[in-house]
Short mmCIF file of all heavy atoms in Angstrom, two decimals:
data_model
loop_
_atom_site.label_atom_id
_atom_site.label_comp_id
_atom_site.label_asym_id
_atom_site.label_seq_id
_atom_site.Cartn_x
_atom_site.Cartn_y
_atom_site.Cartn_z
N CYS A 216 -23.15 39.29 -6.38
CA CYS A 216 -23.05 40.62 -5.72
C CYS A 216 -21.76 40.53 -4.93
O CYS A 216 -21.39 39.54 -4.30
CB CYS A 216 -24.26 40.89 -4.92
SG CYS A 216 -24.44 42.69 -4.66
N GLY A 217 -21.02 41.78 -4.82
CA GLY A 217 -19.86 41.77 -4.10
C GLY A 217 -18.61 41.32 -4.83
O GLY A 217 -18.77 41.00 -6.20
N PRO A 218 -17.53 41.04 -4.28
CA PRO A 218 -16.36 40.39 -5.02
C PRO A 218 -16.77 39.18 -5.75
O PRO A 218 -17.50 38.26 -5.27
CB PRO A 218 -15.34 40.16 -3.91
CG PRO A 218 -15.86 40.90 -2.74
CD PRO A 218 -17.23 41.02 -2.79
N TRP A 219 -16.22 38.93 -6.93
CA TRP A 219 -16.48 37.77 -7.69
C TRP A 219 -15.44 36.73 -7.51
O TRP A 219 -14.21 36.99 -7.90
CB TRP A 219 -16.63 38.11 -9.17
CG TRP A 219 -17.13 37.03 -10.03
CD1 TRP A 219 -18.06 36.09 -9.76
CD2 TRP A 219 -16.58 36.57 -11.41
NE1 TRP A 219 -18.14 35.22 -10.85
CE2 TRP A 219 -17.28 35.54 -11.86
CE3 TRP A 219 -15.63 37.17 -12.21
CZ2 TRP A 219 -16.98 34.92 -13.05
CZ3 TRP A 219 -15.38 36.61 -13.48
CH2 TRP A 219 -16.13 35.49 -13.90
N ILE A 220 -15.80 35.68 -6.89
CA ILE A 220 -14.78 34.76 -6.41
C ILE A 220 -14.46 33.62 -7.35
O ILE A 220 -13.42 32.93 -7.12
CB ILE A 220 -15.38 34.18 -5.00
CG1 ILE A 220 -14.30 33.70 -4.11
CG2 ILE A 220 -16.45 33.14 -5.37
CD1 ILE A 220 -13.49 34.61 -3.37
N ASP A 221 -15.21 33.33 -8.28
CA ASP A 221 -15.27 32.13 -9.15
C ASP A 221 -13.73 31.80 -9.66
O ASP A 221 -13.30 30.76 -9.55
CB ASP A 221 -16.00 32.20 -10.34
CG ASP A 221 -17.54 32.17 -10.09
OD1 ASP A 221 -17.91 32.73 -9.00
OD2 ASP A 221 -18.30 31.44 -10.84
N GLY A 222 -12.91 32.96 -10.17
CA GLY A 222 -11.77 32.73 -10.73
C GLY A 222 -10.75 32.04 -9.77
O GLY A 222 -9.90 31.19 -10.35
N ILE A 223 -10.76 32.24 -8.48
CA ILE A 223 -9.74 31.44 -7.67
C ILE A 223 -10.02 30.02 -7.69
O ILE A 223 -9.16 29.27 -7.26
CB ILE A 223 -9.72 32.08 -6.22
CG1 ILE A 223 -10.92 31.61 -5.35
CG2 ILE A 223 -9.56 33.66 -6.25
CD1 ILE A 223 -10.75 31.89 -3.85
N PHE A 224 -11.09 29.53 -8.02
CA PHE A 224 -11.45 28.12 -8.09
C PHE A 224 -11.00 27.36 -9.36
O PHE A 224 -11.00 26.21 -9.47
CB PHE A 224 -12.81 27.81 -7.71
CG PHE A 224 -13.27 28.19 -6.27
CD1 PHE A 224 -14.18 29.18 -6.13
CD2 PHE A 224 -12.62 27.68 -5.21
CE1 PHE A 224 -14.64 29.52 -4.87
CE2 PHE A 224 -12.93 28.05 -3.97
CZ PHE A 224 -13.96 28.99 -3.86
N SER A 225 -10.63 28.23 -10.34
CA SER A 225 -10.03 27.73 -11.60
C SER A 225 -8.66 27.09 -11.11
O SER A 225 -7.97 27.73 -10.42
CB SER A 225 -9.99 28.67 -12.68
OG SER A 225 -9.02 29.83 -12.48
N GLN A 226 -8.27 25.95 -11.77
CA GLN A 226 -7.08 25.27 -11.52
C GLN A 226 -7.17 24.52 -10.08
O GLN A 226 -6.18 23.88 -9.68
CB GLN A 226 -5.86 26.09 -11.65
CG GLN A 226 -5.60 26.76 -13.00
CD GLN A 226 -5.58 25.66 -14.00
OE1 GLN A 226 -5.67 24.45 -13.93
NE2 GLN A 226 -5.41 26.07 -15.34
N SER A 227 -8.30 24.62 -9.45
CA SER A 227 -8.64 23.76 -8.36
C SER A 227 -7.65 23.73 -7.06
O SER A 227 -7.47 22.85 -6.42
CB SER A 227 -8.70 22.31 -8.75
OG SER A 227 -9.69 22.13 -9.84
N ASN A 228 -7.10 24.86 -6.85
CA ASN A 228 -6.24 24.98 -5.61
C ASN A 228 -7.01 25.22 -4.43
O ASN A 228 -6.54 24.87 -3.33
CB ASN A 228 -5.28 26.20 -5.89
CG ASN A 228 -4.26 25.91 -6.92
OD1 ASN A 228 -4.40 26.16 -8.07
ND2 ASN A 228 -3.11 25.40 -6.49
N PHE A 229 -8.20 25.89 -4.51
CA PHE A 229 -8.74 26.38 -3.24
C PHE A 229 -10.22 25.76 -3.03
O PHE A 229 -10.76 26.11 -1.95
CB PHE A 229 -8.91 27.92 -3.47
CG PHE A 229 -7.66 28.65 -3.75
CD1 PHE A 229 -7.37 29.28 -4.80
CD2 PHE A 229 -6.80 28.69 -2.61
CE1 PHE A 229 -6.12 30.01 -5.01
CE2 PHE A 229 -5.44 29.22 -2.73
CZ PHE A 229 -5.25 29.94 -3.96
N GLY A 230 -10.57 24.85 -3.77
CA GLY A 230 -11.89 24.16 -3.53
C GLY A 230 -12.22 23.15 -4.58
O GLY A 230 -11.41 23.15 -5.54
N VAL A 231 -13.06 22.28 -4.24
CA VAL A 231 -13.55 21.22 -5.23
C VAL A 231 -14.90 21.68 -5.82
O VAL A 231 -15.81 21.76 -5.10
CB VAL A 231 -13.69 19.92 -4.42
CG1 VAL A 231 -14.14 18.77 -5.37
CG2 VAL A 231 -12.47 19.58 -3.63
N VAL A 232 -14.75 21.88 -7.14
CA VAL A 232 -16.08 22.34 -7.72
C VAL A 232 -17.05 21.09 -7.99
O VAL A 232 -16.62 20.14 -8.60
CB VAL A 232 -15.87 23.02 -9.15
CG1 VAL A 232 -17.00 23.39 -9.74
CG2 VAL A 232 -14.96 24.25 -8.79
N THR A 233 -18.25 21.15 -7.46
CA THR A 233 -19.15 20.05 -7.56
C THR A 233 -20.29 20.28 -8.45
O THR A 233 -21.07 19.37 -8.87
CB THR A 233 -19.75 19.69 -6.12
OG1 THR A 233 -20.14 20.94 -5.46
CG2 THR A 233 -18.51 19.10 -5.33
N LYS A 234 -20.56 21.45 -8.92
CA LYS A 234 -21.59 21.85 -9.81
C LYS A 234 -20.98 23.04 -10.52
O LYS A 234 -20.38 23.94 -9.97
CB LYS A 234 -23.00 22.23 -9.26
CG LYS A 234 -23.65 21.05 -8.58
CD LYS A 234 -25.04 21.53 -8.14
CE LYS A 234 -25.82 20.30 -7.47
NZ LYS A 234 -25.30 19.93 -6.16
N MET A 235 -21.50 23.23 -11.98
CA MET A 235 -21.17 24.29 -12.58
C MET A 235 -22.14 24.61 -13.75
O MET A 235 -22.71 23.56 -14.30
CB MET A 235 -19.80 24.22 -13.26
CG MET A 235 -19.14 25.48 -13.92
SD MET A 235 -17.76 25.20 -14.89
CE MET A 235 -16.54 25.49 -13.66
N GLY A 236 -22.53 25.84 -13.90
CA GLY A 236 -23.33 26.13 -15.14
C GLY A 236 -22.51 26.61 -16.27
O GLY A 236 -21.34 27.02 -16.14
N LEU A 237 -23.02 26.21 -17.49
CA LEU A 237 -22.34 26.60 -18.74
C LEU A 237 -23.28 27.17 -19.71
O LEU A 237 -24.35 26.65 -19.96
CB LEU A 237 -21.71 25.25 -19.37
CG LEU A 237 -20.64 24.59 -18.58
CD1 LEU A 237 -20.51 23.09 -19.03
CD2 LEU A 237 -19.35 25.36 -18.65
N TRP A 238 -22.87 28.28 -20.29
CA TRP A 238 -23.67 28.81 -21.37
C TRP A 238 -23.26 28.07 -22.73
O TRP A 238 -22.14 27.90 -23.02
CB TRP A 238 -23.33 30.30 -21.52
CG TRP A 238 -23.80 31.20 -20.42
CD1 TRP A 238 -24.67 30.74 -19.45
CD2 TRP A 238 -23.55 32.54 -20.21
NE1 TRP A 238 -24.90 31.81 -18.57
CE2 TRP A 238 -24.39 32.97 -19.09
CE3 TRP A 238 -22.89 33.53 -20.86
CZ2 TRP A 238 -24.45 34.29 -18.51
CZ3 TRP A 238 -22.92 34.88 -20.43
CH2 TRP A 238 -23.57 35.22 -19.22
#
Side-chain angles (χ1 to χ4, degrees):
Chain A
C216 199
W219 187 39
I220 202 77
D221 291 39
I223 73 165
F224 296 115
S225 68
Q226 301 302 2
S227 300
N228 290 85
F229 300 116
V231 180
V232 176
T233 49
K234 291 185 179 69
M235 188 188 269
L237 294 162
W238 285 355

